[in-house]
Amino acid sequence: MTSEVVETSSQALSAANNDDRVRLREGSAVLRISESDATSKSVNEITKTSDPSEETRMILNMGPSHPSTHGVLRLILELEGETVERSKPVIGYLHTGMEKTAETLSYTQGSTNVTRMDYASPLFTELAFSLAVEKLLEIEVPPRATWIRMLMCELNRISSHLLFQATNGMDLGAVSMMIYGWREREEVLRFFEKVTGLRMNHNYIRPGGVAVDLHDGWQADLRNLLEIIPPRLDEYDDLLTGQPLFQKRLQGVGSLNTSEALALSATGPILRSTGYDWDLRKDEPYLAYDQVDFDVIVGTHGDSFDRFAIRLNEVRESLRIVEQILDLMPPGNYRIQDKKITPPPRARIDESMEALIHHFKIFTEGFHVPPGEVYAAVESPRGELGCYLVSDGSSNPYRMHIRGPSFVNLQTLPHLMRGGLIADAVAVISSIDPIMGEVDR
């Protein structure tokens, strides 16, 4: 009986080893090796085979300091000549432990922490966090605060997509696009600076509303943006969209179909490029998106060109939303008038000892949130951005987890790159538009 068990175990181990070798060599777009093996062993050593057909293969490390990996992203590529057979994204070089840090910060301080994750679109992370806290508190913010949040997030979507246009052009050799994309993004950041006091990492959207009201003259500044950006987008079309070289670099490169995108949990432009019409602003409306008119842009082929075109046209749709907000912005308070959640006005602190004590307690102790767990999601420029919070009744979250779209979308990378040329790798990475601060949060 014992010998039979040993024999069975031996056969199972042998079968498992054979399965591992097959899995390492074929049938998967993902290169399943350790980071240390990638720097010290050949392909034949890794796959444990002497197959002559694999002697021409090599392992190439790309990043994490490569300028076209959009941050500290490392890729381990298995190459057959110049063709990428398999690859493995390696993350963690920027790990900051923000989710664990959130457990030591009060809900008042939370927005300051989460805004640093996706530094290209920080307002969306602030919004997801604030919506989650407000669900636990069972409060509703004033209508003006809702519309201000929507305005700022759509402007942030525009600035994020303009940054993509700039870096995507640079990655593909259209160096002048970097200048033009940065130029238009700068106009949006100037508006942010007038409203929040900062160009990035705003800590503007907070539980209960927003930090401050819109500045005097905000309507004129918005109308100026609505005049400047649309004709510049038409110039992008002339420079990139209809350019034969640009089309050849992107069309048919990094293709994904709908079933693959859904299986990999991809969202945002990656999912919509396959023709799947899914946008949380339409399908699960939040804020006041059900009161404005806009179209969800979808692609056909699921390739890098579709993802480029979707982001370009989403800027136009966001401008449509901003124009409607300009006319529909309601008057009223920009934050909830609840002394347990929001601090007193700055001017009152100089006049009232009670206001000073109130301000001190809000920013030192924070406010207590009823026990429970909640998930709130928004449509960021990169896809579904969600915040999962667990409260134990104290003034700090017991647990916090961010469903980062860059982190999830990054797992599509090996499937998008398989069978493509190494020259296409940069185009594919760029089309995912990852933000490594959010991936390594």
Side-chain angles (χ1 to χ4, degrees):
M1 187 68 179
T2 306
S3 62
E4 290 178 4
V5 172
V6 171
E7 185 177 352
T8 304
S9 301
S10 177
Q11 289 172 349
L13 184 60
S14 176
N17 287 336
N18 288 334
D19 287 345
D20 284 343
R21 292 174 188 177
V22 170
R23 177 171 55 81
L24 282 165
R25 289 202 305 272
E26 57 191 348
S28 174
V30 182
L31 183 60
R32 303 179 188 278
I33 63 172
S34 69
E35 290 76 24
S36 58
D37 282 352
T39 57
S40 61
K41 295 184 178 181
S42 68
V43 175
N44 287 349
E45 288 177 312
I46 292 166
T47 58
K48 301 180 178 68
T49 181
S50 57
D51 188 345
S53 66
E54 294 190 356
E55 289 182 0
T56 57
R57 294 192 179 185
M58 66 175 289
I59 296 292
L60 178 70
N61 280 277
M62 179 179 176
S65 57
H66 194 284
S68 291
T69 55
H70 289 247
V72 283
L73 170 66
R74 175 185 170 193
L75 292 173
I76 305 174
L77 306 176
E78 181 186 345
L79 303 177
E80 177 80 49
E82 291 194 13
T83 303
V84 179
E85 294 296 332
R86 291 174 299 171
S87 57
K88 177 182 179 178
V90 182
I91 61 175
Y93 291 95
L94 198 64
H95 184 55
T96 47
M98 290 180 181
E99 291 174 336
K100 193 65 179 176
T101 301
E103 299 172 18
T104 66
L105 301 174
S106 70
Y107 291 99
T108 308
Q109 299 167 318
S111 296
T112 312
N113 178 41
V114 299
T115 192
R116 286 165 169 77
M117 293 182 182
D118 184 345
Y119 39 77
S121 52
L123 289 164
F124 289 90
T125 324
E126 296 174 21
L127 177 62
F129 174 79
S130 297
L131 290 176
V133 175
E134 288 157 9
K135 275 188 179 181
L136 287 169
L137 290 168
E138 297 182 348
I139 61 173
E140 288 189 15
V141 301
R144 184 174 179 84
T146 297
W147 285 81
I148 290 175
R149 287 175 169 186
M150 193 160 66
L151 168 67
M152 296 295 282
C153 282
E154 288 309 310
L155 288 173
N156 205 175
R157 191 185 311 277
I158 292 169
S159 69
S160 177
H161 283 340
L162 289 173
L163 178 62
F164 164 79
Q165 298 298 329
T167 54
N168 186 57
M170 172 73 89
D171 287 339
L172 298 175
V175 180
S176 54
M177 190 60 228
M178 188 71 174
I179 301 169
Y180 302 144
W182 216 261
R183 178 186 62 187
E184 274 67 80
R185 178 174 177 264
E186 189 69 20
E187 298 296 332
V188 181
L189 296 190
R190 285 198 186 103
F191 182 85
F192 285 158
E193 193 168 9
K194 287 184 178 181
V195 177
T196 72
L198 296 165
R199 295 158 55 86
M200 297 170 61
N201 304 337
H202 308 279
N203 188 24
Y204 180 69
I205 298 176
R206 303 177 183 181
V210 294
V212 293
D213 204 352
L214 297 172
H215 62 281
D216 293 336
W218 66 272
Q219 297 97 329
D221 289 338
L222 278 184
R223 290 192 178 93
N224 183 49
L225 281 176
L226 293 172
E227 289 177 7
I228 291 174
I229 297 179
R232 303 273 175 87
L233 298 179
D234 295 336
E235 292 178 8
Y236 296 176
D237 275 327
D238 294 337
L239 180 65
L240 300 177
T241 310
Q243 225 280 353
L245 288 176
F246 192 78
Q247 291 175 351
K248 288 180 179 179
R249 286 299 309 273
L250 293 179
Q251 288 179 347
V253 173
S255 297
L256 202 68
N257 62 41
T258 302
S259 60
E260 291 170 335
L262 290 172
L264 292 165
S265 301
T267 54
I270 295 179
L271 178 59
R272 291 193 288 274
S273 70
T274 67
Y276 194 85
D277 184 355
W278 179 259
D279 189 313
L280 291 178
R281 295 174 295 171
K282 283 279 191 183
D283 297 288
E284 296 180 5
Y286 56 96
L287 297 181
Y289 280 109
D290 54 347
Q291 300 178 44
V292 294
D293 182 38
F294 66 99
D295 296 321
V296 176
I297 309 298
V298 297
T300 306
H301 306 288
D303 59 9
S304 297
F305 188 83
D306 274 356
R307 293 189 282 275
F308 152 77
I310 284 172
R311 292 187 177 99
L312 181 59
N313 285 290
E314 280 188 356
V315 174
R316 293 187 169 103
E317 293 305 313
S318 290
L319 289 171
R320 278 180 63 192
I321 295 173
V322 169
E323 192 170 7
Q324 294 171 70
I325 294 173
L326 191 57
D327 298 327
L328 297 172
M329 178 68 71
N333 292 316
Y334 59 90
R335 62 185 180 185
I336 192 170
Q337 295 304 304
D338 185 337
K339 292 183 178 180
K340 292 182 179 180
I341 298 171
T342 54
R346 178 66 183 84
R348 287 278 297 148
I349 297 175
D350 297 331
E351 302 169 355
S352 166
M353 177 58 72
E354 289 76 13
L356 179 62
I357 294 171
H358 175 206
H359 183 276
F360 178 78
K361 288 182 72 66
I362 283 285
F363 285 100
T364 55
E365 296 180 9
F367 51 84
H368 291 263
V369 173
E373 57 182 325
V374 71
Y375 178 77
V378 301
E379 186 70 32
S380 88
R382 287 156 195 85
E384 180 178 335
L385 171 66
C387 178
Y388 172 72
L389 274 180
V390 179
S391 171
D392 59 0
S394 68
S395 59
N396 292 12
Y398 179 72
R399 288 288 185 272
M400 185 187 80
H401 174 64
I402 297 294
R403 193 264 185 208
S406 290
F407 176 77
V408 178
N409 290 344
L410 207 59
Q411 68 183 338
T412 66
L413 194 55
H415 305 273
L416 294 172
M417 294 176 64
R418 189 179 194 186
L421 297 175
I422 190 171
D424 296 329
V426 170
V428 172
I429 296 167
S430 182
S431 74
I432 293 177
D433 191 24
I435 298 295
M436 298 310 295
E438 178 213 273
V439 173
D440 292 340
R441 66 198 177 282

